[in-house]
Amino acid sequence: DAGVIQSPRHEVTEMGQEVTLRCKPISGHDYLFWYRQTMMRGLELLIYFNNNVPIDDSGMPEDRFSAKMPNASFSTLKIQPSEPRDSAVYFCASSIAAGGPNNEQFFGPGTRLTVL
Amino acid sequence: KNQVEQSPQSLIILEGKNCTLQCNYTVSPFSNLRWYKQDTGRGPVSLTIMTFSENTKSNGRYTATLDADTKQSSLHITASQLSDSASYICVVRAGFQKLVFGTGTRLLVSP
């Protein structure tokens, strides 16, 4: 298995532009998570999906952020318009079950976003 | 408020030496605690997981301990290697789903 796949790995954009981050979870995993990581705040959960349905988006910072999961093998995180404070590493993770001993989340390599 | 605090924030040790990283948490209800290793430029990878009834869990040279009474966990690294240089993140699951992340300890193993 290739693991969680994210693209692009690096993104540099200018303030005000739309940014779309992409994620392909591990096949068979029914949970998908989007995280943001910064030096100051560490890892923060933005939103997670179960069977393609958004379950908890309370971590989404504001309306400029949106996430979709049109099918079991693809999800996007969109920022429109982007701002310099959105600069961070964005991780996608997937897991088989939400709780219990098999709840390990497998993380992708991340997308490093820089907004100038 | 659910919180996970890690110490130290950063640590430099010589290759071959041992070290211990600390994690204190105030999370309720406690479900499990996991230590992740995150190499530079990579996503976190799970090292160990412990539930309420487990006191210690090993994974090679990594040994995690859990004291549910004092709500503390430690990660001990034995005979450190250069490849141990990474960030180590303590993550506590509250209840069925919510994860509470620590900000991590950055470890540098120097030759």
Side-chain angles (χ1 to χ4, degrees), chain B residues 42-80:
Chain B
R42 308 287 291 273
V45 175
S46 178
L47 290 175
T48 64
I49 179 172
M50 288 179 293
T51 58
F52 185 86
S53 59
E54 296 176 295
N55 301 119
T56 185
K57 184 71 70 75
S58 291
N59 178 359
R61 294 180 296 101
Y62 300 99
T63 300
T65 64
L66 174 65
D67 186 334
D69 292 330
T70 61
K71 298 186 178 181
Q72 296 179 325
S73 176
S74 65
L75 181 68
H76 186 76
I77 303 175
T78 303
S80 61

Side-chain angles (χ1 to χ4, degrees), chain A residues 91-113:
Chain A
F91 287 101
C92 176
S94 68
S95 70
I96 293 176
N102 296 320
N103 63 353
E104 178 177 358
Q105 293 183 20
F106 294 83
F107 285 78
T111 294
R112 180 173 294 277
L113 172 66

Side-chain angles (χ1 to χ4, degrees), chain B residues 37-40 82-88 105-108:
Chain B
K37 178 187 179 188
Q38 184 176 18
D39 292 315
T40 301
L82 298 180
S83 59
D84 294 330
S85 295
S87 289
Y88 293 84
T105 293
R106 296 169 66 89
L107 173 66
L108 176 63

Side-chain angles (χ1 to χ4, degrees), chain A residues 9 31 33 35 37 39 41 43 48 91 98-99 103-105 107-109, chain B residues 32 34 36 38 41-44 46 49 89 93 96-97 99 101 103 106:
Chain A
R9 292 295 310 276
Y31 283 84
F33 306 81
Y35 291 91
Q37 186 178 42
M39 287 291 292
R41 301 169 69 95
L43 272 166
Y48 78 90
F91 287 101
N103 63 353
E104 178 177 358
Q105 293 183 20
F107 285 78
Chain B
N32 59 50
R34 193 184 292 272
Y36 281 92
Q38 184 176 18
R42 308 287 291 273
S46 178
I49 179 172
I89 303 171
R93 181 178 294 276
F96 184 70
Q97 182 57 272
L99 292 179
F101 288 82
T103 54
R106 296 169 66 89

